[in-house]
Amino acid sequence: MRMRSGTAIAGVAALAVAGMALNVVLEPVWAHGPTRQKVRESIEINAPQAKVWAAIGNFQDMSWLPPVTKTEGVKGNEIGATRTLTLTGGATVEEELYKYEPDMLSYSYRITKVDVKVLPVTNYSSTLTVSPAPDGKAKLEWAGAFYRGFPNNDPPPELSDEAAVRAVSGLYKAGLEALKKKIESGS
């Protein structure tokens, strides 16, 4: 096989130029968007695990969470059960149960509808789990994963990753503290 050196060099140069052009075109397509955020909060409660589970284990009752004024739902604790939480001020959050393991003292749910002005997140899911802690106490863990409220790059401050993490972490901490107080006071 015989090649002309000028043609071979021109071909390699053309491939190199095409490759550089292709990289320039593909970079914006591969630009990184928002990343999934995670929050995990826990608290030790001076009560047996069974007592803590009795307070949180009914998916249809979120009365222990401070901003919730009413919980309405269907299907109890069945997979696919739904609930609507009415918050102080009238805003609502719609949620669906997708995992329920009473023998493991755990359940997982996702938000199916919420105004980002109420909770600045999208694609939110979380799990509540009760586990043993030292001295007969119980540990309640609330773990969530979500995307910020603004799905594109350059979010406004109130819909940023930081705002989403701050809102969820604050909600979890307030809920866990309220539940601890409720259970330990016997109310």
Side-chain angles (χ1 to χ4, degrees), residues 114-169:
V114 66
D115 185 335
V116 294
K117 292 176 187 148
V118 174
L119 189 63
V121 300
T122 59
N123 197 18
Y124 168 100
S125 62
S126 77
T127 300
L128 286 159
T129 305
V130 181
S131 59
D135 303 321
K137 296 178 182 179
K139 176 182 173 186
L140 177 57
E141 182 177 84
W142 198 352
F146 47 88
Y147 288 93
R148 65 181 179 228
F150 188 81
N152 301 317
N153 290 326
D154 303 319
E158 69 277 10
L159 298 176
S160 67
D161 288 339
E162 295 80 15
V165 167
R166 192 170 42 254
V168 172
S169 182

Side-chain angles (χ1 to χ4, degrees), residues 9 29 44 81 103 120 166 177:
I9 292 172
V29 174
E44 279 191 14
D103 53 325
R166 192 170 42 254
E177 287 291 338

Side-chain angles (χ1 to χ4, degrees), residues 51-62 64 77 83 100 105-107 128-130 140-141 179 183:
K51 187 171 184 179
V52 175
W53 179 250
I56 65 129
N58 178 4
F59 181 68
Q60 299 302 328
D61 179 10
M62 198 78 165
W64 54 269
N77 292 323
R83 67 183 178 195
Y100 190 79
L105 306 181
S106 179
Y107 69 84
L128 286 159
T129 305
V130 181
L140 177 57
E141 182 177 84
L179 188 62
I183 291 173

Side-chain angles (χ1 to χ4, degrees), residues 37-114:
Q37 302 298 306
K38 294 180 181 178
V39 169
R40 182 177 306 270
E41 299 290 345
S42 64
I43 198 164
E44 279 191 14
I45 300 174
N46 190 12
Q49 288 176 262
K51 187 171 184 179
V52 175
W53 179 250
I56 65 129
N58 178 4
F59 181 68
Q60 299 302 328
D61 179 10
M62 198 78 165
S63 62
W64 54 269
L65 187 61
V68 175
T69 59
K70 181 169 71 171
T71 306
E72 297 175 297
V74 295
K75 295 188 180 178
N77 292 323
E78 295 176 34
I79 302 303
T82 59
R83 67 183 178 195
T84 300
L85 307 176
T86 302
L87 310 178
T88 305
T92 59
V93 181
E94 295 178 18
E95 300 176 332
E96 178 184 26
L97 185 67
Y98 69 87
K99 190 175 187 182
Y100 190 79
E101 298 177 305
D103 53 325
M104 303 294 291
L105 306 181
S106 179
Y107 69 84
S108 301
Y109 65 95
R110 66 180 58 91
I111 291 178
T112 57
K113 184 177 178 185
V114 66

